Amino acid sequence: MTPLAVIVPAYNEGRSIGATLAALAAQTDTGFTLIVVDNASTDDTADVVRAFPAPFPVEIVREDERGAGTAADTGFRHAISRGAVLLARTDADCRPAPDWVATARHHLESGAELVCGRSVPRHDEQPSFAERHVFPAAVRLAALYGRYRRAHREASFRTPYVLIHGHNLALTADLYQRCGGTARERLEDGSEDVTLLNRARRHTDRIVRAEDLIVENSLRRLRAWGARRTLLWYWDRRWRPPTSPEVHVR
Protein backbone atom coordinates (compact mmCIF):
# COMPACT_ATOMS: atom_id res chain seq x y z
CA MET A 1 0.00 0.00 0.00
CA THR A 2 1.35 3.43 -0.96
CA PRO A 3 2.38 5.35 2.20
CA LEU A 4 -0.20 8.07 2.92
CA ALA A 5 -0.26 10.75 5.61
CA VAL A 6 -3.16 12.90 6.79
CA ILE A 7 -2.16 16.36 8.00
CA VAL A 8 -4.35 18.27 10.47
CA PRO A 9 -3.26 21.77 11.57
CA ALA A 10 -4.72 22.60 14.99
CA TYR A 11 -4.82 25.81 17.04
CA ASN A 12 -6.66 25.64 20.38
CA GLU A 13 -8.90 22.82 19.15
CA GLY A 14 -9.11 20.84 22.39
CA ARG A 15 -12.92 20.97 22.34
CA SER A 16 -13.40 20.09 18.68
CA ILE A 17 -10.53 17.90 17.51
CA GLY A 18 -12.00 14.82 19.18
CA ALA A 19 -14.77 14.70 16.56
CA THR A 20 -12.19 14.98 13.79
CA LEU A 21 -10.14 12.16 15.29
CA ALA A 22 -13.26 10.02 15.61
CA ALA A 23 -14.14 10.64 11.95
CA LEU A 24 -10.64 9.63 10.90
CA ALA A 25 -10.76 6.52 13.10
CA ALA A 26 -14.01 5.54 11.34
CA GLN A 27 -12.43 5.62 7.87
CA THR A 28 -12.84 2.58 5.66
CA ASP A 29 -9.13 2.93 4.91
CA THR A 30 -7.06 3.41 8.08
CA GLY A 31 -3.75 2.63 6.40
CA PHE A 32 -2.30 6.09 6.99
CA THR A 33 -0.27 8.08 9.47
CA LEU A 34 -1.91 11.06 11.14
CA ILE A 35 0.21 14.18 11.56
CA VAL A 36 -1.36 16.75 13.90
CA VAL A 37 0.42 20.10 13.82
CA ASP A 38 -0.04 21.88 17.14
CA ASN A 39 0.06 25.49 15.96
CA ALA A 40 1.12 27.20 19.22
CA SER A 41 -2.00 26.08 21.07
CA THR A 42 -2.48 27.29 24.62
CA ASP A 43 -5.14 24.71 25.50
CA ASP A 44 -5.12 20.92 25.78
CA THR A 45 -5.17 20.16 22.04
CA ALA A 46 -2.03 18.01 22.16
CA ASP A 47 -3.22 16.12 25.24
CA VAL A 48 -6.54 15.26 23.57
CA VAL A 49 -4.67 13.90 20.56
CA ARG A 50 -2.27 11.86 22.70
CA ALA A 51 -5.13 10.31 24.66
CA PHE A 52 -7.18 9.29 21.61
CA PRO A 53 -7.15 5.52 20.92
CA ALA A 54 -6.36 5.78 17.22
CA PRO A 55 -6.17 2.70 14.95
CA PHE A 56 -3.29 4.30 13.03
CA PRO A 57 0.06 5.89 13.97
CA VAL A 58 -0.26 9.46 15.28
CA GLU A 59 2.52 12.05 15.39
CA ILE A 60 2.26 15.51 16.95
CA VAL A 61 4.46 18.24 15.51
CA ARG A 62 4.79 21.67 17.11
CA GLU A 63 4.78 24.83 14.96
CA ASP A 64 5.00 28.07 16.91
CA GLU A 65 4.55 30.47 13.99
CA ARG A 66 0.81 31.14 13.85
CA GLY A 67 -0.94 30.49 10.56
CA ALA A 68 -2.89 27.70 8.88
CA GLY A 69 -0.59 27.69 5.85
CA THR A 70 2.54 27.65 7.96
CA ALA A 71 1.23 24.81 10.11
CA ALA A 72 0.11 22.84 7.06
CA ASP A 73 3.49 23.26 5.37
CA THR A 74 5.26 22.04 8.51
CA GLY A 75 2.99 19.01 8.60
CA PHE A 76 3.35 18.20 4.90
CA ARG A 77 7.12 18.43 5.01
CA HIS A 78 7.32 16.36 8.18
CA ALA A 79 5.19 13.67 6.54
CA ILE A 80 7.38 13.66 3.43
CA SER A 81 10.52 13.38 5.56
CA ARG A 82 8.96 10.32 7.19
CA GLY A 83 8.35 8.61 3.85
CA ALA A 84 4.81 9.65 2.88
CA VAL A 85 4.18 9.48 -0.87
CA LEU A 86 0.54 10.59 -0.78
CA LEU A 87 -0.74 13.49 1.33
CA ALA A 88 -4.19 14.59 2.46
CA ARG A 89 -5.26 17.54 4.58
CA THR A 90 -8.27 18.38 6.66
CA ASP A 91 -8.79 20.74 9.62
CA ALA A 92 -9.38 20.17 13.32
CA ASP A 93 -13.00 21.34 13.23
CA CYS A 94 -13.96 19.10 10.30
CA ARG A 95 -15.43 15.63 9.86
CA PRO A 96 -14.23 13.75 6.79
CA ALA A 97 -16.73 11.32 5.26
CA PRO A 98 -16.05 7.63 6.09
CA ASP A 99 -14.61 6.98 2.61
CA TRP A 100 -12.53 10.18 2.52
CA VAL A 101 -9.10 8.56 2.76
CA ALA A 102 -10.06 5.74 0.40
CA THR A 103 -11.41 8.22 -2.15
CA ALA A 104 -8.31 10.43 -1.93
CA ARG A 105 -6.08 7.40 -2.36
CA HIS A 106 -8.11 6.21 -5.36
CA HIS A 107 -7.84 9.53 -7.18
CA LEU A 108 -4.12 9.90 -6.52
CA GLU A 109 -3.29 6.31 -7.45
CA SER A 110 -5.38 6.74 -10.62
CA GLY A 111 -3.14 9.54 -11.87
CA ALA A 112 -4.29 12.78 -10.26
CA GLU A 113 -1.58 14.86 -8.61
CA LEU A 114 -3.87 17.29 -6.76
CA VAL A 115 -7.43 16.50 -5.72
CA CYS A 116 -9.75 19.29 -4.58
CA GLY A 117 -12.73 17.97 -2.63
CA ARG A 118 -16.24 19.14 -1.75
CA SER A 119 -17.16 20.91 1.49
CA VAL A 120 -20.56 20.54 3.17
CA PRO A 121 -21.79 21.92 6.54
CA ARG A 122 -21.36 19.76 9.63
CA HIS A 123 -24.69 18.03 10.26
CA ASP A 124 -24.23 18.08 14.03
CA GLU A 125 -24.23 21.89 13.93
CA GLN A 126 -27.81 21.80 12.59
CA PRO A 127 -27.30 24.06 9.55
CA SER A 128 -30.18 26.23 8.40
CA PHE A 129 -31.49 26.16 4.83
CA ALA A 130 -29.33 29.17 3.96
CA GLU A 131 -26.24 27.57 5.51
CA ARG A 132 -26.89 24.31 3.63
CA HIS A 133 -27.75 25.79 0.25
CA VAL A 134 -27.47 29.57 -0.19
CA PHE A 135 -23.99 30.17 1.22
CA PRO A 136 -22.41 27.17 -0.59
CA ALA A 137 -23.99 28.39 -3.82
CA ALA A 138 -22.43 31.81 -3.27
CA VAL A 139 -19.05 30.15 -2.72
CA ARG A 140 -19.39 28.23 -5.98
CA LEU A 141 -20.32 31.41 -7.83
CA ALA A 142 -17.26 33.09 -6.37
CA ALA A 143 -15.15 30.18 -7.59
CA LEU A 144 -16.65 30.55 -11.07
CA TYR A 145 -15.67 34.22 -10.97
CA GLY A 146 -12.19 33.14 -9.86
CA ARG A 147 -11.86 30.95 -12.93
CA TYR A 148 -12.05 34.03 -15.15
CA ARG A 149 -9.95 36.44 -13.08
CA ARG A 150 -6.90 37.67 -14.92
CA ALA A 151 -4.65 36.59 -12.05
CA HIS A 152 -5.89 33.01 -12.45
CA ARG A 153 -5.48 32.90 -16.24
CA GLU A 154 -1.75 33.38 -16.67
CA ALA A 155 -0.15 31.64 -19.63
CA SER A 156 2.05 29.66 -17.25
CA PHE A 157 -0.95 27.80 -15.79
CA ARG A 158 -1.31 24.33 -17.26
CA THR A 159 -4.91 23.68 -16.21
CA PRO A 160 -8.01 25.78 -15.40
CA TYR A 161 -8.71 27.15 -11.93
CA VAL A 162 -10.98 25.02 -9.74
CA LEU A 163 -12.61 25.50 -6.34
CA ILE A 164 -10.28 24.34 -3.57
CA HIS A 165 -10.72 24.10 0.20
CA GLY A 166 -7.72 23.90 2.50
CA HIS A 167 -9.64 21.54 4.75
CA ASN A 168 -10.27 19.03 1.96
CA LEU A 169 -7.46 18.35 -0.46
CA ALA A 170 -5.00 15.60 -1.36
CA LEU A 171 -1.86 15.59 -3.45
CA THR A 172 1.31 13.69 -4.14
CA ALA A 173 4.46 14.38 -2.19
CA ASP A 174 6.27 14.73 -5.51
CA LEU A 175 4.02 17.58 -6.65
CA TYR A 176 4.21 19.25 -3.24
CA GLN A 177 7.97 19.42 -3.49
CA ARG A 178 8.04 20.39 -7.18
CA CYS A 179 5.65 23.32 -6.78
CA GLY A 180 7.01 24.69 -3.50
CA GLY A 181 4.13 23.63 -1.29
CA THR A 182 1.81 25.68 0.89
CA ALA A 183 2.64 29.34 1.43
CA ARG A 184 3.98 30.09 4.90
CA GLU A 185 1.94 33.27 5.13
CA ARG A 186 -0.19 34.86 7.81
CA LEU A 187 -3.85 33.94 7.67
CA GLU A 188 -4.63 37.64 7.23
CA ASP A 189 -2.43 37.90 4.13
CA GLY A 190 -3.90 35.34 1.82
CA SER A 191 -5.66 32.04 1.16
CA GLU A 192 -2.94 29.42 1.42
CA ASP A 193 -5.09 26.85 -0.37
CA VAL A 194 -5.47 29.06 -3.45
CA THR A 195 -1.75 29.82 -3.38
CA LEU A 196 -1.01 26.08 -3.32
CA LEU A 197 -3.45 25.47 -6.18
CA ASN A 198 -1.88 28.16 -8.37
CA ARG A 199 1.63 26.93 -7.58
CA ALA A 200 0.56 23.43 -8.57
CA ARG A 201 -1.12 24.66 -11.77
CA ARG A 202 2.27 25.80 -13.01
CA HIS A 203 3.66 22.28 -12.67
CA THR A 204 0.89 19.87 -13.65
CA ASP A 205 -2.34 19.51 -15.57
CA ARG A 206 -3.41 16.54 -13.43
CA ILE A 207 -5.59 18.52 -11.05
CA VAL A 208 -9.15 17.37 -10.45
CA ARG A 209 -12.18 18.73 -8.67
CA ALA A 210 -13.58 15.63 -6.95
CA GLU A 211 -17.20 15.95 -5.82
CA ASP A 212 -16.94 12.51 -4.19
CA LEU A 213 -14.19 13.62 -1.79
CA ILE A 214 -16.36 15.04 1.00
CA VAL A 215 -15.61 16.78 4.28
CA GLU A 216 -18.13 18.28 6.69
CA ASN A 217 -16.86 21.73 7.64
CA SER A 218 -17.73 23.73 10.75
CA LEU A 219 -20.04 26.73 10.43
CA ARG A 220 -18.40 28.60 13.31
CA ARG A 221 -16.62 31.18 11.15
CA LEU A 222 -19.74 31.88 9.12
CA ARG A 223 -21.81 32.25 12.29
CA ALA A 224 -19.22 34.44 14.03
CA TRP A 225 -18.71 36.81 11.12
CA GLY A 226 -21.92 36.61 9.09
CA ALA A 227 -22.28 35.71 5.42
CA ARG A 228 -21.23 39.07 3.94
CA ARG A 229 -18.03 39.40 5.97
CA THR A 230 -17.13 35.75 5.44
CA LEU A 231 -17.48 36.06 1.67
CA LEU A 232 -15.43 39.27 1.68
CA TRP A 233 -12.78 37.50 3.76
CA TYR A 234 -12.44 34.76 1.16
CA TRP A 235 -12.51 37.37 -1.61
CA ASP A 236 -8.89 38.49 -1.27
CA ARG A 237 -9.33 39.44 2.41
CA ARG A 238 -11.48 42.48 1.55
CA TRP A 239 -12.74 42.32 5.11
CA ARG A 240 -10.56 41.39 8.06
CA PRO A 241 -11.42 41.09 11.75
CA PRO A 242 -10.01 43.93 13.84
CA THR A 243 -7.96 41.70 16.16
CA SER A 244 -5.70 38.67 15.67
CA PRO A 245 -7.69 36.31 17.93
CA GLU A 246 -10.76 36.94 15.77
CA VAL A 247 -8.74 36.13 12.63
CA HIS A 248 -7.87 32.72 14.01
CA VAL A 249 -11.41 31.38 14.15
CA ARG A 250 -10.60 28.25 12.20
Side-chain angles (χ1 to χ4, degrees):
M1 183 178 289
T2 308
L4 185 150
V6 172
I7 288 80
V8 178
Y11 167 65
N12 286 351
E13 297 286 7
R15 290 187 297 176
S16 62
I17 197 168
T20 305
L21 297 172
L24 291 172
Q27 293 294 302
T28 58
D29 178 350
T30 56
F32 61 89
T33 298
L34 174 63
I35 310 294
V36 175
V37 185
D38 182 358
N39 194 194
S41 297
T42 57
D43 70 351
D44 62 347
T45 295
D47 293 333
V48 172
V49 176
R50 290 189 189 96
F52 187 81
F56 38 72
V58 179
E59 300 180 21
I60 302 174
V61 180
R62 178 82 177 185
E63 172 53 68
D64 288 328
E65 182 180 346
R66 190 76 55 78
T70 299
D73 182 60
T74 295
F76 281 129
R77 295 189 186 280
H78 177 82
I80 293 169
S81 75
R82 303 282 284 180
V85 176
L86 308 178
L87 308 165
R89 177 190 161 187
T90 191
D91 283 348
D93 61 346
C94 294
R95 290 185 173 183
D99 65 347
W100 181 70
V101 171
T103 301
R105 188 189 296 278
H106 171 74
H107 281 291
L108 294 174
E109 291 184 343
S110 297
E113 288 197 283
L114 172 60
V115 187
C116 307
R118 178 160 61 98
S119 178
V120 299
R122 276 181 54 161
H123 288 93
D124 63 317
E125 294 184 347
Q126 299 179 332
S128 66
F129 178 86
E131 290 169 336
R132 283 185 289 114
H133 299 289
V134 178
F135 185 78
V139 171
R140 287 179 178 269
L141 282 174
L144 182 63
Y145 160 74
R147 192 181 185 99
Y148 294 99
R149 289 183 63 182
R150 181 176 298 177
H152 294 164
R153 299 180 65 192
E154 296 177 8
S156 60
F157 292 140
R158 298 175 58 180
T159 188
Y161 177 90
V162 296
L163 178 58
I164 186 170
H165 304 287
H167 58 262
N168 187 10
L169 59 86
L171 74 167
T172 65
D174 181 68
L175 176 62
Y176 194 85
Q177 293 175 301
R178 287 189 350 248
C179 77
T182 305
R184 299 180 69 88
E185 59 188 354
R186 297 189 311 160
L187 200 56
E188 300 96 312
D189 294 336
S191 299
E192 84 284 348
D193 48 0
V194 175
T195 302
L196 174 62
L197 171 66
N198 284 336
R199 287 179 175 181
R201 291 171 64 210
R202 291 187 171 93
H203 291 266
T204 184
D205 60 0
R206 290 188 287 163
I207 297 174
V208 300
R209 169 72 182 177
E211 295 295 323
D212 58 344
L213 187 69
I214 301 170
V215 163
E216 293 187 10
N217 184 41
S218 176
L219 295 164
R220 62 187 184 180
R221 173 177 282 161
L222 176 62
R223 289 173 174 176
W225 295 354
R228 178 179 175 276
R229 288 178 173 179
T230 303
L231 287 170
L232 288 173
W233 164 262
Y234 286 116
W235 184 14
D236 299 337
R237 303 300 192 257
R238 298 187 182 214
W239 177 82
R240 301 182 188 186
T243 67
S244 181
E246 292 175 272
V247 168
H248 291 277
V249 176
R250 71 172 202 253

